[in-house]
Amino acid sequence: MRSDLSNADVPLFAVRNLTKHFPVRKGMLQHVVARVHAVDGVSFEIQRGQTLGLVGESGCGKTTTARLILQLDRPDSGALMLEGKDRLGDTRAALRSYRRDVQMVFQDPYSSLNPRKTVEQLIGEPLRIHGLSRGQALRERVAAMLDAVNLPVDSMIRYPHEFSGGQRQRLGIARALALNPKLIVCDEPVSALDVSIRSQIINLLMELQRARNLTYILIAHDLAVVEYVSDIVAVMYLGKIVEMAPTEAFFANTRHPYSEALLSAVPATSPKARRPRVTLVGDVPSPLNPPSGCRFRTRCPIAQARCAEIEPPLKEVAPGHRVACHMRA
């Protein structure tokens, strides 16, 4: 979805220097012997009605970032700005309100739904918890949510095992929509589905966004999906964002060597669209001991001596296009 947001002043949601290091403990006394640098100083912002696509290899910190945004894991430091207000230090009551505004669609539609509850109970539970609906009003609200995701009303009396994978993901979307959230984090929402179903779910998300002016953070591996859905693309590597740009600018003029490698692995739809294949040497370094300087330098084909000495800042190289690379910024 492409949105006209030229008059927007304060972003709907912004992440500022978000950091999370998980301690590694050993021995009977459980001393901390190391720390996993899962997310290390991540910053981005998103305007109302936009979609930000967050991409990168497995283990780069995308899902941890999503959990920090939901405050399912508490960040070590940073800020979570919702409509200009930092919500990271919320009290228990304020955190309850925050979670009403920020919802999540999980990757696995099988394990994210309680198999012991009916659809009415699953979608109605957040409404009951937040005291928004009960009785007949709740059932009407659940019916409206099912209609919004193109499922029949009689689905209310059924259990998750009675639905296909695509239908279960529609239930997950309906549950996320129930509280009218301001931001929805979609963590690989189609990766567990059959290829034939993926486009239906992606189109449903886009239709709901247009109809309800929703704001998404989409975590994905499939760059074709990211290009189709997103307004902004952010590329993560080993806990840091290395490139961020408007979607059209990103795919037309990728700047970071890691982004180039990701794009070169995407199958071309025509011979003219082919990109030179970029093969990275070596494995992703351990987040227990990330490299000094630029974290990508150990696999980068254009790395120089200073890349090991100085960490490159995320610098703007064109309007809205930022790159963390000494050689390209």
Side-chain angles (χ1 to χ4, degrees), residues 225-262:
V225 170
V226 171
E227 183 177 16
Y228 180 61
V229 171
S230 302
D231 297 283
I232 305 167
V233 179
V235 181
M236 282 192 74
Y237 182 81
L238 210 60
K240 287 186 172 291
I241 290 180
V242 297
E243 184 166 8
M244 185 160 49
T247 301
E248 292 180 6
F250 176 81
F251 284 92
N253 186 25
T254 305
R255 302 294 290 267
H256 198 279
Y258 177 61
S259 304
E260 291 175 350
L262 289 180

Side-chain angles (χ1 to χ4, degrees), residues 8-315:
D9 295 320
V10 178
L12 173 76
F13 188 77
V15 169
R16 306 293 187 211
N17 296 315
L18 198 64
T19 300
K20 181 65 177 179
H21 297 170
F22 292 100
V24 178
R25 303 178 186 274
K26 289 185 69 175
M28 291 183 61
L29 299 178
Q30 292 292 286
H31 290 301
V32 176
V33 297
R35 290 186 179 275
V36 177
H37 295 243
V39 177
D40 224 346
V42 166
S43 297
F44 59 80
E45 61 184 41
I46 180 170
Q47 300 285 0
R48 189 181 301 275
Q50 279 190 328
T51 298
L52 182 142
L54 190 59
V55 302
E57 292 173 288
S58 295
C60 71
K62 303 187 302 298
T63 295
T64 301
T65 299
R67 292 181 60 85
L68 295 177
I69 289 171
L70 270 291
Q71 300 196 51
L72 298 176
D73 292 322
R74 297 289 287 182
D76 296 334
S77 61
L80 299 173
M81 310 292 293
L82 182 63
E83 297 181 318
K85 181 181 178 182
D86 186 7
R87 304 297 299 271
L88 189 53
D90 278 354
T91 63
R92 187 181 183 91
L95 183 59
R96 183 186 182 98
S97 170
Y98 175 82
R99 287 180 171 155
R100 177 176 169 180
D101 291 331
V102 182
Q103 286 288 304
M104 189 167 186
V105 176
F106 294 91
Q107 176 178 357
D108 187 358
Y110 297 90
S111 62
S112 62
L113 299 175
N114 189 333
R116 297 173 182 242
K117 293 188 175 182
T118 65
V119 167
E120 181 181 347
Q121 292 171 325
L122 288 168
I123 299 177
E125 184 174 29
L127 297 170
R128 287 192 296 270
I129 288 173
H130 289 271
L132 299 178
S133 294
R134 293 191 181 278
Q136 183 60 30
L138 184 144
R139 284 188 287 274
E140 290 174 357
R141 180 64 177 165
V142 171
M145 290 298 96
L146 290 173
D147 182 64
V149 297
N150 301 322
L151 288 175
V153 175
D154 61 10
S155 300
M156 283 197 289
I157 61 173
R158 298 163 64 186
Y159 289 85
H161 73 269
E162 300 179 67
F163 296 89
S164 67
Q167 289 173 325
R168 292 186 201 189
Q169 196 59 294
R170 289 174 187 269
L171 293 176
I173 294 169
R175 182 175 59 180
L177 286 175
L179 297 175
N180 291 319
K182 296 173 181 176
L183 174 70
I184 298 179
V185 181
C186 302
D187 184 11
E188 298 276 3
V190 296
S191 64
L193 305 178
D194 293 341
V195 174
S196 60
I197 304 300
R198 293 179 184 179
S199 62
Q200 297 179 22
I201 299 300
I202 289 297
N203 287 332
L204 173 63
L205 288 170
M206 294 184 72
E207 289 168 8
L208 290 169
Q209 184 176 46
R210 285 191 290 267
R212 297 167 179 262
N213 197 29
L214 297 173
T215 305
Y216 295 140
I217 295 175
L218 174 71
I219 297 171
H221 283 100
D222 191 335
L223 287 174
V225 170
V226 171
E227 183 177 16
Y228 180 61
V229 171
S230 302
D231 297 283
I232 305 167
V233 179
V235 181
M236 282 192 74
Y237 182 81
L238 210 60
K240 287 186 172 291
I241 290 180
V242 297
E243 184 166 8
M244 185 160 49
T247 301
E248 292 180 6
F250 176 81
F251 284 92
N253 186 25
T254 305
R255 302 294 290 267
H256 198 279
Y258 177 61
S259 304
E260 291 175 350
L262 289 180
L263 281 178
S264 74
V266 178
T269 55
S270 70
K272 292 182 180 180
R274 280 184 192 155
R275 297 173 180 266
R277 187 72 170 94
V278 179
T279 303
L280 300 179
V281 179
D283 297 324
V284 179
S286 171
L288 286 169
N289 186 27
S292 62
C294 175
R295 296 190 175 186
F296 184 61
R297 66 175 175 82
T298 58
R299 305 172 73 198
C300 181
I302 62 171
Q304 302 294 321
R306 65 172 171 163
C307 299
E309 300 168 359
I310 303 171
E311 182 178 333
L314 196 62
K315 186 184 296 184

